[in-house]
Amino acid sequence: MPTIKITGGRIIDPSRDVDAIGDVWIRDGKIVPDGGGGAAADSVVDARGLIVTPGLIDVHVHLREPGQEEDETIATGAAAALAGGVTTVACMPNTLPPLDTQTTAEFVVLQGRRARQANVFPVGCVSKGRKGEELAELGQLVAGGAVAFTDDGAPVSDAGLMRRALEYSKMFDRVVMQHCQVMELTVGGVMNEGFESTRLGLGGMPAAAEDIMVARDIRLAEITGGRLHIQHISTARAVELVREGKRRGIRVTAEACPHHFSLTDECLRTFDSNFKMNPPLRTAEDVAAVIEGLKDDTIEILCTDHAPHAREKKMRELDQAPFGIVGLETLLPLTVTCLIEPGHLTWPQAIRKMTVNAAALLNLPNKGTLRPGADADVTVIDPGLDWTVEAAKLRGKSKNTPYDGWKVRGRAHTVIVEGEVRYRLEGAGS
């Protein structure tokens, strides 16, 4: 493999508390010490004026394969990830069939390798068939490559099953990710329950449906000592519950998605199904709480909940259209535009939430870092590039984004995976 020198960039590597101008050397698919060990560079990436970070990691992605390839495939989703500067994705198990066996997990790993785009790691089901009735074979899933467990798309509603999942997952040092929603409280809901849902005459999904499940699972994590991760946190009370849990030393973490720190339920006044997601867009007060949670590290992960749906599915009436939006190609620019530019987070703080923290969550010690010996996954970012999101030009198979037409800042310039340049922004020099 070629020896690559990335020269003159602002290196931000939170895993080592590095924020300085310098060079990054890559050889044989690994990061090597500065100077490349005396070897000459086969190629040089001029990063002057750019930011060089560990490859970004998205811990919450739906790739739809197997079973819903009309929406996305592992190959198209991994390609979209690269365009967003993401070098590693963890794909959710709500596929057809679900990722609840060693064989299905191995299939995802194999398809990811065949695609040769971003790294793809499967997240296995908590329960067999995602039915919430019987614990999946967690050990076999780990053997198949699963880096975590979840029934995402649906919560683990049975408290006894969730308790056992937290207990058993400790044996494999894997985190249990939970979609926190009391389903009985959200039947028929399409948006946040509140003033806007009443005004629009649409079924509501109360914030309490999330808060109650978050509180229950934090208590279960406390009595089991298991690792709990709250997915796509969206309410002010849920953020406070996680904060309280951390104060008590409970092993709980949380993630936030761009739509929950940049949009509110007022967007549903358009009746555009691209604003329909689960958990739903909440109030301005909830958005402020999520941002505050990101600022004080109550929420230590930034990710997307990338949920592609074919155009004909999203074009249905609002109550019939599926929940979810795509996000891999807009994670970085929305983080810059909505968090870094307004001063909520610094660049190192934001990058930490998409690299070393994400790698720790998924037990990937050689990802999310630029230390010598680590896997050579590197994202080079143009931090000042202003551009407009155009849904039709997104690389993913589906185009269901609420950010079409948004003017944003910051974009991936060059993306290296396993020591190989796999993406370069059109028009960007080497």
Side-chain angles (χ1 to χ4, degrees), residues 65-78:
E65 184 181 359
Q68 295 171 308
E69 289 84 356
E70 70 276 12
D71 298 330
E72 192 80 280
T73 66
I74 289 170
T76 61

Side-chain angles (χ1 to χ4, degrees), residues 93 99-106 122-130 134-151 156 160-177 226-227:
L99 306 183
D100 62 353
T101 65
Q102 180 174 342
T103 302
T104 51
E106 289 173 345
V123 175
C125 294
V126 169
S127 65
K128 292 182 178 179
R130 295 179 55 251
E134 184 180 357
L135 203 64
E137 296 290 347
L138 304 188
Q140 291 183 14
L141 283 164
V142 170
V147 293
F149 307 114
T150 187
D151 275 357
V156 179
L161 184 67
M162 187 63 176
R163 176 179 182 172
R164 289 194 296 276
L166 287 164
E167 289 171 338
Y168 276 85
S169 64
K170 286 170 57 181
M171 293 190 292
F172 311 104
D173 194 22
R174 294 293 192 273
V175 68
V176 177
M177 299 172 153
R227 293 173 59 200

Side-chain angles (χ1 to χ4, degrees), residues 176-197:
V176 177
M177 299 172 153
Q178 174 73 310
H179 174 128
C180 290
Q181 180 181 1
V182 177
M183 299 296 286
E184 294 84 354
L185 296 178
T186 61
V187 176
V190 300
M191 66 175 293
N192 181 59
E193 181 180 282
F195 175 81
E196 290 297 332
S197 65

Side-chain angles (χ1 to χ4, degrees), residues 303-371:
C303 61
T304 64
D305 190 11
H306 176 80
H309 295 288
R311 184 170 179 267
E312 60 271 18
K313 297 180 181 179
K314 272 292 192 178
M315 285 181 67
R316 301 169 69 186
E317 295 84 352
L318 191 61
D319 61 338
Q320 298 297 317
F323 293 102
I325 62 171
V326 295
L328 282 166
E329 297 171 69
T330 51
L331 170 63
L332 177 59
L334 290 171
T335 297
V336 175
T337 304
C338 300
L339 296 177
I340 297 176
E341 290 285 312
H344 299 307
L345 297 178
T346 64
W347 270 99
Q349 287 172 330
I351 295 302
R352 178 180 293 275
K353 294 177 189 294
M354 296 183 282
T355 57
V356 62
N357 288 0
L361 182 77
L362 302 177
N363 279 5
L364 301 174
N366 288 318
K367 306 290 185 187
T369 177
L370 295 178
R371 62 171 173 74

Side-chain angles (χ1 to χ4, degrees), residues 194-210:
F195 175 81
E196 290 297 332
S197 65
T198 302
R199 178 178 179 273
L200 298 172
L202 295 173
M205 304 169 71
E210 180 171 324

Side-chain angles (χ1 to χ4, degrees), residues 13 15-16 30-32 54 365-375:
D13 181 8
S15 73
R16 300 178 297 150
K30 299 290 183 181
I31 304 294
V32 295
N366 288 318
K367 306 290 185 187
T369 177
L370 295 178
R371 62 171 173 74
D375 295 340

Side-chain angles (χ1 to χ4, degrees), residues 24-328:
V24 173
W25 285 78
I26 295 169
R27 187 172 67 241
D28 295 331
K30 299 290 183 181
I31 304 294
V32 295
D34 195 21
D42 298 305
S43 63
V44 176
V45 176
D46 184 356
R48 289 174 296 179
L50 306 178
I51 293 176
V52 182
T53 76
L56 307 185
I57 300 170
D58 192 336
V59 305
H60 191 157
V61 172
H62 299 267
L63 295 183
R64 306 302 189 202
E65 184 181 359
Q68 295 171 308
E69 289 84 356
E70 70 276 12
D71 298 330
E72 192 80 280
T73 66
I74 289 170
T76 61
L82 291 184
V86 175
T87 61
T88 296
V89 299
C91 65
M92 298 297 105
N94 59 332
T95 51
L96 300 172
L99 306 183
D100 62 353
T101 65
Q102 180 174 342
T103 302
T104 51
E106 289 173 345
F107 169 81
V108 170
V109 172
L110 180 59
Q111 289 294 86
R113 289 174 180 166
R114 285 173 173 165
R116 289 189 60 80
Q117 301 284 339
N119 302 298
V120 178
F121 291 95
V123 175
C125 294
V126 169
S127 65
K128 292 182 178 179
R130 295 179 55 251
K131 296 178 180 179
E133 299 171 354
E134 184 180 357
L135 203 64
E137 296 290 347
L138 304 188
Q140 291 183 14
L141 283 164
V142 170
V147 293
F149 307 114
T150 187
D151 275 357
D152 183 50
V156 179
S157 295
D158 186 297
L161 184 67
M162 187 63 176
R163 176 179 182 172
R164 289 194 296 276
L166 287 164
E167 289 171 338
Y168 276 85
S169 64
K170 286 170 57 181
M171 293 190 292
F172 311 104
D173 194 22
R174 294 293 192 273
V175 68
V176 177
M177 299 172 153
Q178 174 73 310
H179 174 128
C180 290
Q181 180 181 1
V182 177
M183 299 296 286
E184 294 84 354
L185 296 178
T186 61
V187 176
V190 300
M191 66 175 293
N192 181 59
E193 181 180 282
F195 175 81
E196 290 297 332
S197 65
T198 302
R199 178 178 179 273
L200 298 172
L202 295 173
M205 304 169 71
E210 180 171 324
D211 304 341
I212 292 168
M213 187 71 82
V214 170
R216 184 203 76 173
D217 287 345
I218 288 175
R219 184 72 177 105
L220 290 175
E222 184 173 32
I223 66 174
T224 62
R227 293 173 59 200
L228 170 69
H229 179 70
I230 308 301
Q231 296 181 298
H232 41 46
I233 199 166
S234 71
T235 75
R237 181 56 183 149
V239 174
E240 183 57 31
L241 285 165
V242 172
R243 188 177 286 120
E244 292 170 359
K246 287 178 177 292
R247 288 176 187 150
R248 298 209 311 272
I250 300 169
R251 301 174 76 190
V252 57
T253 55
E255 68 187 35
C257 306
H259 43 280
H260 289 130
F261 62 70
S262 65
L263 303 172
T264 70
D265 56 357
E266 293 182 5
C267 295
L268 270 297
R269 294 175 183 178
T270 63
F271 289 90
D272 182 347
S273 64
N274 285 322
F275 293 105
K276 180 184 178 183
M277 60 275 297
N278 188 11
L281 299 178
R282 303 289 187 183
T283 66
E285 291 76 17
D286 292 308
V287 169
V290 169
I291 292 174
E292 189 60 35
L294 287 164
K295 289 168 66 174
D296 69 9
D297 271 344
T298 297
I299 304 169
E300 53 269 268
I301 304 286
L302 284 166
C303 61
T304 64
D305 190 11
H306 176 80
H309 295 288
R311 184 170 179 267
E312 60 271 18
K313 297 180 181 179
K314 272 292 192 178
M315 285 181 67
R316 301 169 69 186
E317 295 84 352
L318 191 61
D319 61 338
Q320 298 297 317
F323 293 102
I325 62 171
V326 295
L328 282 166

